[in-house]
C-alpha cells in the first residue's frame, strides 16, 4: 500500500540543513544492487544504460556472493532495511564507512535485525549477526566493499559528475530562497513547513531542531529513502533530477578533457577535491601514494586552483573559485554544465 514520507521542519531546522557534496558510497552500493532487481521499465534511462553496462561485472562470483548476502538484509522491495549498512561516516569515503560498519555494537545489530525480521522472514545466518558475531559482520562489510569495487567503482566518475550537477542545480535554486530550494527537489512537494514525497508506507519525521542531511543518489530512483531509526540523525537520500543529463553525457568527456589539460593524475586529484578535503582521503579515494597526491596539490595550489589550510591535526584542501570554474568549463565546452 502506498504512503507518504512527511518531514516536518521547525525554524531551528532550517539552520541545520546539510547538503552532501556527492553521492555516498555505501548508500550507492545498496541502491546499486536494487537497480539490478528492479524491472527495467521502472528505471530512468541513465540506470537502464548502467545496468546493461555492468551485466558482465555482476556475473563475477565474488560480486554474486556479495549480492546474495546484501539482498538478504536489504532487498529492493523491502519497506525497511538496517541503518547500520549506511553509517554517516561514509560521507568521508568508503574506507571510513566500512570501518564504522565493522564496529557496529551488538545492541544495535540485535535491534536492527529484529526490526527487519518484523517486516519479512530473514535467513538463519542473520541470527548470528544479531548475536554480534564479528566474523559475520565482517562478511557484511566485505560484501559492501565488493559491490562498490566490483560494480560501481568503474563508473564512479560518472556518479560524482551527476552529483556535482545536482548540487549546482540546488545552489542555483537557492538564489530564490530556501522555499525555492526545497521546491526544486522533484520527488518532493514543499508546503511550508512540511517536505513530503510518495513512500512505501506512511512515515512522519519530526526534525525538532536536529536538522536534516540530504544526499543525492545516482542509483536511487522514483522516490527518496530515509534513515528509519528516529534515534539517529535524520538523513534522506533522494534521486537525481530526471532531466539532468550531466552524468550520462559528460562524465567521461569531462575527465578526458581535464587529463589532456593537466595530466591524468593531477586531473584526478582536482576532480576528487569536489568531494574530498584531506590529502589522505584523496589518496585513499584515488589509490595513489599520499606523497604523490601532496605533490599534485602543491602544483594545483601554486596555480591558484586549490586552497589549503590547517584544521587541527590535518590540512584540508578546497577548490578555489578558479578551480571550480575549470571543472565547469574546459576548452571546447560552450560553458554550460551539461554541454557535450
Amino acid at each position: 500500500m502506498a504512503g507518504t514520507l512527511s518531514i516536518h521542519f521547525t525554524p531551528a531546522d532550517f539552520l541545520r540543513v546539510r547538503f552532501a557534496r556527492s553521492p555516498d558510497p555505501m548508500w550507492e552500493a545498496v541502491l546499486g544492487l536494487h537497480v539490478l532487481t528492479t524491472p527495467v521499465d521502472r528505471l530512468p534511462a541513465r540506470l537502464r544504460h548502467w545496468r546493461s553496462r555492468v551485466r558482465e561485472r555482476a556475473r563475477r562470483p565474488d560480486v554474486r556472493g556479495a549480492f546474495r548476502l546484501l539482498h538478504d538484509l536489504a532487498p529492493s522491495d523491502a519497506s525497511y532495511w538496517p541503518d547500520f549498512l549506511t553509517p554517516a561516516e561514509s560521507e568521508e569515503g568508503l574506507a571510513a564507512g566500512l570501518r564504522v560498519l565493522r564496529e557496529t555494537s551488538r545492541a544495535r545489530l540485535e535491534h536492527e535485525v529484529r526490526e527487519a525480521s518484523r517486516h519479512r522472514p530473514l535467513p538463519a545466518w542473520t541470527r548470528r549477526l544479531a548475536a554480534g558475531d564479528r566474523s559475520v559482520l565482517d562478511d557484511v562489510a566485505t560484501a559492501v566493499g565488493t559491490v562498490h569495487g566490483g560494480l560501481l567503482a568503474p563508473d564512479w566518475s560518472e556518479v560524482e559528475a551527476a552529483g556535482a550537477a545536482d548540487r549546482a542545480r540546488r545552489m542555483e535554486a537557492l538564489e530564490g530562497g530556501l522555499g525555492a530550494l526545497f521546491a526544486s527537489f522533484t520527488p518532493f512537494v514543499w508546503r511550508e513547513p512540511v517536505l513530503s514525497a510518495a513512500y512505501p508506507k506512511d512515515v512522519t519525521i519530526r526534525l525538532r531542531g536536529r536538522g536534516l542531511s540530504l544526499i543525492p543518489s545516482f542509483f536511487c530512483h522514483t522516490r527518496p529513502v530515509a534513515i528509519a531509526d528516529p534515534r539517529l540523525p535524520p538523513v534522506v537520500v533522494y534521486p537525481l533530477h530526471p532531466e539532468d543529463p550531466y552524468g550520462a553525457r559528460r562524465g567521461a568527456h569531462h575527465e578526458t578533457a581535464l587529463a589532456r589539460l593537466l595530466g591524468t593524475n593531477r586531473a584526478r586529484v582536482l576532480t576528487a577535491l569536489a568531494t574530498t578535503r584531506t590529502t589522505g582521503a584523496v589518496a585513499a579515494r584515488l589509490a595513489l601514494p599520499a606523497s604523490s597526491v601532496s605533490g599534485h596539490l602543491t602544483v594545483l595550489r601554486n596555480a591558484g586552483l586549490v586552497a589549503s589550510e590547517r584544521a587541527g591535526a590535518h590540512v584540508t584542501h578546497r577548490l578555489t573559485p578558479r578551480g571550480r570554474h575549470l571543472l565547469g568549463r574546459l576548452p571546447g565546452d560552450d560553458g554550460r554544465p551539461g554541454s557535450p
Side-chain angles (χ1 to χ4, degrees):
M1 182 177 66
T4 301
L5 171 67
S6 301
I7 306 170
H8 294 250
F9 287 74
T10 68
D13 292 307
F14 292 113
L15 302 177
R16 296 178 176 86
V17 176
R18 298 180 64 250
F19 299 94
R21 298 174 63 83
S22 68
D24 182 290
M26 295 184 71
W27 278 101
E28 296 300 80
V30 175
L31 294 169
L33 288 183
H34 289 179
V35 169
L36 297 181
T37 57
T38 298
V40 174
D41 59 1
R42 290 175 50 194
L43 295 174
R46 72 171 189 278
L47 295 182
R48 291 198 297 270
H49 296 155
W50 177 80
R51 186 161 144 170
S52 66
R53 290 203 307 271
V54 304
R55 196 168 296 151
E56 288 302 317
R57 298 179 216 161
R59 293 193 181 106
R60 284 173 32 184
D62 58 335
V63 173
R64 291 173 62 187
F67 174 91
R68 286 193 297 269
L69 188 149
L70 293 180
H71 182 75
D72 285 344
L73 284 175
S76 60
D77 59 353
S79 59
Y80 170 89
W81 35 280
D83 292 320
F84 73 81
L85 291 173
T86 53
E89 289 79 3
S90 59
E91 179 183 8
E92 298 300 322
L94 182 66
L98 293 178
R99 183 182 66 251
V100 172
L101 192 158
R102 287 187 168 96
E103 295 169 354
T104 305
S105 69
R106 176 175 176 172
R108 184 172 176 187
L109 290 171
E110 182 179 11
H111 168 75
E112 295 191 4
V113 172
R114 184 173 64 247
E115 184 65 22
S117 69
R118 291 178 57 244
H119 291 78
R120 63 189 182 280
L122 295 180
W125 70 264
T126 60
R127 290 197 290 270
R128 294 171 54 205
L129 179 65
D133 188 320
R134 294 288 125 178
S135 66
V136 177
L137 183 60
D138 189 66
D139 288 342
V140 172
T142 299
V144 175
T146 297
V147 167
H148 189 278
L151 281 182
L152 276 58
D155 300 310
W156 198 248
S157 63
E158 180 179 337
V159 172
E160 291 195 325
D166 181 86
R167 184 177 177 85
R169 179 187 291 276
R170 306 308 168 194
M171 294 305 100
E172 182 178 351
L174 183 58
E175 295 176 7
L178 278 174
L181 173 63
F182 286 130
S184 74
F185 286 89
T186 304
F188 292 94
V189 174
W190 172 244
R191 293 190 178 93
E192 189 176 353
V194 179
L195 192 64
S196 61
Y199 215 59
K201 60 181 181 178
D202 287 327
V203 173
T204 298
I205 299 176
R206 298 189 183 277
L207 299 178
R208 296 190 175 97
R210 296 175 297 163
L212 176 68
S213 293
L214 289 157
I215 303 175
S217 171
F218 185 86
F219 296 102
C220 184
H221 59 92
T222 310
R223 58 182 177 237
V225 183
I227 282 284
D229 192 336
R231 298 170 298 181
L232 296 174
V235 173
V236 171
V237 176
Y238 63 90
L240 300 175
H241 193 283
E243 296 177 1
D244 200 333
Y246 188 103
R249 293 173 59 191
R250 195 170 179 220
H253 167 81
H254 182 82
E255 193 170 287
T256 300
L258 262 183
R260 289 174 179 166
L261 183 65
L262 300 175
T264 300
N265 283 340
R266 198 163 295 155
R268 293 176 68 206
V269 170
L270 186 70
T271 302
L273 286 179
T275 58
T276 311
R277 292 301 184 94
T278 67
T279 304
V282 173
R285 180 182 290 272
L286 302 180
L288 292 173
S291 58
S292 174
V293 170
S294 181
H296 291 311
L297 286 168
T298 297
V299 173
L300 294 170
R301 186 165 52 247
N302 291 339
L305 302 176
V306 170
S308 305
E309 59 185 12
R310 181 162 292 280
H314 301 283
V315 175
T316 61
H317 313 282
R318 59 178 174 80
L319 296 173
T320 64
R322 179 182 294 179
R324 290 196 176 279
H325 183 79
L326 180 60
L327 284 178
R329 283 189 189 179
L330 295 169
D333 284 350
D334 68 0
R336 294 176 298 164
S339 61

